[in-house]
Amino acid sequence: MLPKSDPPLLKPKSPDHSDRKSITLYSIQAFVSAHPRSWLLLSILALQIFLLFVIHSLPVSFSFRHFSPPSNLSVQEEAKEERENVCEYGRVYVYDLPAMFNRELSEKCEELNPWHSRCEAISNDGLGRKANGIIGVVPENLAPAWYWTDQFASEIIFHNRILGHRCRTLDPESATAFYLPFYAGLAVGKYLWSDNYTHHDRDFHSEMLLKWVQDQPYWKRSNGWDHFIMLGRISWDFRRSKDEDWGSSFIYMPAMKNITRLLIERNPWDYFDIGVPYPTGFHPRTDSDVIQWQNYVRTRTRKTLFSFAGATRGAIKNDFRGLLLEQCRNESDSCRVVDCGGNRCSNGSSAILETFLDSEFCLQPRGDSFTRRSIFDCMVAGSIPVFFWHRTAYYQYEWFLPGEPGSYSVFIDRKEVINGTSIRGVLERYSREEVRRMREKVIDYIPKFVYAEPKEGLETIKDAFDVALDGVLRRFREHRKMEDRKGNIRKLK
């Protein structure tokens, strides 16, 4: 039984108070009966006044978003959910390859070139040596973000960035993509310049790498469809058809047929080749570095209409570069030349950067191949590129350049230049407003042309590495969805 409680004490009635209360209640009831709509409006108004009073009495930081429903997730589950939201396209697993495929190649940097050591070029995690003589050309506080980066250092840069990337996973079961950190460009580079080496030498590391990866369980699961690699040279250096020809046959090896390749120059007709920007000398440390640099090149006074940094190719008949140099020198009041004969422009120089910073336009013919690193040196400086081959940029860097070529660049058919068309005449026809719009488009895209210095990337801005990785992950996710749809269709049949 429950314990008994004493009955409540009864208070004596107050006749006067009770009578007044009854009269008041009767008056309110009479008013409500006679004026129901008025009573409803007064009630709503009173409720609003009450709510306003309550809200204003709360702390200043009050916000409705603070009153979200309590989460049933654990701290670990919430952290996982947050990571998955950041990595909307999936996560990447990085293979721990045997040292012969990366670390040993970079450690033996003295042997990578028959003429001189490559150790300085691939130092600082692939960024190269710090840029000297650059203060005065760039703002002093941004000078530490500049390096003399080698154009063939992308393999090392990508490897270091991906190890610290927020979308890297140590669990292969949760991975959308698998990265092979093989320094194929370094491996073949040492064998390219001498007849003392055979095609077996040029293919050795590539063949060994493919034997190794084909033994891995996650390769066998997809036959390489969800695997990708960064090749730090142009596609043609890995497409040797005959034993006596140039380069490696890496891309033509059977196991490579499904692997996505990131390259500084792609074969436009190969689905698995993805063109990514050549590394430039600017490696921002923070979002602020990027924004300050964009403002700097936007407000730069440009004293020269156009410029050309390059050298002639004497061994090439009717060398187009020579023609550009001739036109530029003949228009010395509107064109500035940086003669890069010999090794004067190797890995960039303050003279090239200053020339591009001072120029409205920069001439970008093809290099030794269809592309050249100067394209990105030019645009990072806020100069508008002038192209003469569509394959120099338009068919190469679709993930990184604006979709409309005329919004950021000028195209002049090389045949017209050969037949006497004045480059100066073409460029002078653009109005100040048209030039301003094109330059603004180039400046907007600068983050997509540069590789940030921190391994984890920038705070909120996506650089060239982020764009490339997002693109690969998105491609693999779409492929997997397509395969799932095909599987469902087969089941229905």
Side-chain angles (χ1 to χ4, degrees):
M1 291 180 60
L2 294 174
K4 292 182 178 179
S5 58
D6 294 331
L9 295 174
L10 299 177
K11 293 183 179 180
K13 294 175 88 176
S14 173
D16 293 340
H17 176 76
S18 177
D19 290 344
R20 287 195 301 271
K21 186 175 181 181
S22 298
I23 293 168
T24 303
L25 287 172
Y26 174 78
S27 300
I28 291 173
Q29 289 172 354
F31 178 80
V32 170
S33 299
H35 307 283
R37 291 185 178 178
S38 299
W39 172 248
L40 180 61
L41 291 172
L42 286 171
S43 300
I44 293 171
L45 179 61
L47 181 61
Q48 289 176 334
I49 292 171
F50 174 74
L51 288 174
L52 286 172
F53 173 79
V54 171
I55 289 171
H56 282 293
S57 67
L58 290 173
V60 176
S61 62
F62 170 83
S63 170
F64 285 107
R65 63 186 171 88
H66 293 167
F67 290 86
S68 56
S71 173
N72 293 322
L73 299 176
S74 67
V75 173
Q76 291 83 1
E77 288 172 329
E78 287 181 339
K80 180 181 178 183
E81 185 178 75
E82 183 178 348
R83 287 196 305 271
E84 287 174 349
N85 289 337
V86 170
C87 304
E88 59 179 317
Y89 302 121
R91 303 178 69 76
V92 59
Y93 179 78
V94 182
Y95 279 114
D96 184 14
L97 298 182
M100 67 174 290
F101 298 119
N102 44 47
R103 191 178 72 246
E104 286 182 4
L105 289 167
S106 60
E107 287 176 350
K108 297 177 180 178
C109 46
E110 300 92 347
E111 303 174 7
L112 296 177
N113 188 298
W115 301 293
H116 52 78
S117 170
R118 297 264 291 146
C119 295
E120 190 175 76
I122 63 173
S123 62
N124 290 320
D125 294 335
L127 304 185
R129 64 185 174 91
K130 287 278 189 178
N132 54 2
I134 207 166
I135 295 177
V137 178
V138 305
E140 186 172 352
N141 64 317
L142 288 182
W146 282 86
Y147 295 76
W148 297 139
T149 303
D150 189 85
Q151 64 177 335
F152 298 131
S154 299
E155 293 160 350
I156 301 174
I157 293 172
F158 265 73
H159 190 189
N160 280 285
R161 279 296 307 280
I162 207 165
L163 290 177
H165 198 269
R166 61 185 178 276
C167 294
R168 179 193 177 194
T169 178
L170 299 178
D171 175 18
E173 288 291 342
S174 68
T176 306
F178 294 81
Y179 179 63
L180 290 162
F182 170 39
Y183 299 167
L186 297 189
V188 72
K190 64 182 292 184
Y191 302 116
L192 292 176
W193 312 103
S194 174
D195 294 333
N196 295 330
Y197 300 112
T198 68
H199 64 277
H200 295 294
D201 295 319
R202 298 197 293 275
D203 288 347
F204 172 73
H205 286 86
S206 299
E207 289 174 343
M208 295 297 291
L209 181 279
L210 293 178
K211 285 180 181 178
W212 182 89
V213 76
Q214 287 178 93
D215 286 335
Q216 307 308 309
Y218 297 99
W219 169 275
K220 293 176 181 178
R221 186 177 67 182
S222 69
N223 199 28
W225 262 101
D226 51 6
H227 286 55
F228 72 106
I229 192 169
M230 173 70 215
L231 303 180
R233 302 183 69 91
I234 66 173
S235 187
W236 317 105
D237 288 344
F238 305 98
R239 292 179 177 272
R240 192 191 71 243
S241 299
K242 300 176 183 178
D243 290 348
E244 63 272 17
D245 289 345
W246 169 271
S248 158
S249 63
F250 188 30
I251 288 178
Y252 290 145
M253 294 178 185
M256 282 293 289
K257 66 179 182 179
N258 292 333
I259 296 179
T260 293
R261 286 96 55 176
L262 304 175
L263 300 126
I264 52 178
E265 178 178 323
R266 66 185 286 251
N267 174 358
W269 298 278
D270 190 329
Y271 170 82
F272 292 95
D273 274 12
I274 304 294
V276 300
Y278 282 77
T280 69
F282 182 42
H283 301 284
R285 302 155 296 178
T286 61
D287 286 7
S288 178
D289 279 0
V290 175
I291 294 166
Q292 185 181 347
W293 180 254
Q294 287 175 307
N295 290 333
Y296 177 69
V297 299
R298 181 180 290 114
T299 57
R300 179 84 176 191
T301 300
R302 298 180 185 266
K303 300 169 285 188
T304 305
L305 178 63
F306 64 109
S307 61
F308 176 58
T312 59
R313 293 292 186 268
I316 300 175
K317 186 179 180 181
N318 300 320
D319 176 30
F320 187 73
R321 287 189 183 205
L323 183 59
L324 293 184
L325 281 169
E326 183 181 354
Q327 273 215 29
C328 203
R329 285 176 173 139
N330 290 339
E331 303 283 2
S332 58
D333 58 331
S334 60
C335 185
R336 183 170 168 181
V337 173
V338 179
D339 189 342
C340 291
N343 293 318
R344 286 195 292 272
C345 300
S346 177
N347 297 336
S349 73
S350 56
I352 293 176
L353 177 58
E354 188 170 20
T355 297
F356 289 154
L357 285 168
D358 286 345
S359 303
E360 300 279 12
F361 300 90
C362 59
L363 307 185
Q364 296 299 333
R366 58 173 290 172
D368 294 324
S369 60
F370 279 99
T371 64
R372 61 198 301 246
R373 177 240 181 89
S374 179
I375 299 165
F376 297 99
D377 290 334
C378 155
M379 290 192 288
V380 166
S383 190
I384 300 164
V386 180
F387 297 121
F388 306 91
W389 278 263
H390 288 101
R391 285 176 64 181
T392 301
Y394 304 151
Y395 299 165
Q396 287 292 334
Y397 309 106
E398 296 172 4
W399 293 355
F400 304 88
L401 295 175
E404 177 51 55
S407 68
Y408 74 96
S409 67
V410 173
F411 182 78
I412 306 174
D413 194 296
R414 61 194 176 280
K415 295 175 185 175
E416 295 177 6
V417 178
I418 292 169
N419 290 331
T421 294
S422 166
I423 295 171
R424 175 179 181 174
V426 172
L427 300 180
E428 285 181 336
R429 288 200 289 269
Y430 286 89
S431 68
R432 286 184 177 274
E433 178 58 22
E434 288 173 318
V435 171
R436 186 198 67 77
R437 284 201 302 266
M438 285 191 286
R439 172 161 299 107
E440 196 59 38
K441 182 66 75 172
V442 168
I443 292 170
D444 284 346
Y445 273 70
I446 284 176
K448 292 186 175 186
F449 307 152
V450 298
Y451 296 92
E453 181 177 341
K455 288 184 174 64
E456 62 274 15
L458 302 174
E459 297 95 324
T460 63
I461 294 174
K462 291 192 174 185
D463 69 344
F465 174 85
D466 292 318
V467 173
L469 185 57
D470 281 354
V472 169
L473 291 169
R474 186 170 58 246
R475 170 185 277 212
F476 289 170
R477 187 181 69 170
E478 290 170 354
H479 175 76
R480 185 169 294 174
K481 286 181 178 178
M482 182 179 68
E483 290 299 306
D484 289 344
R485 284 195 296 269
K486 288 179 180 178
N488 292 333
I489 291 171
R490 283 193 291 268
K491 288 178 183 178
L492 290 173
K493 290 179 177 180

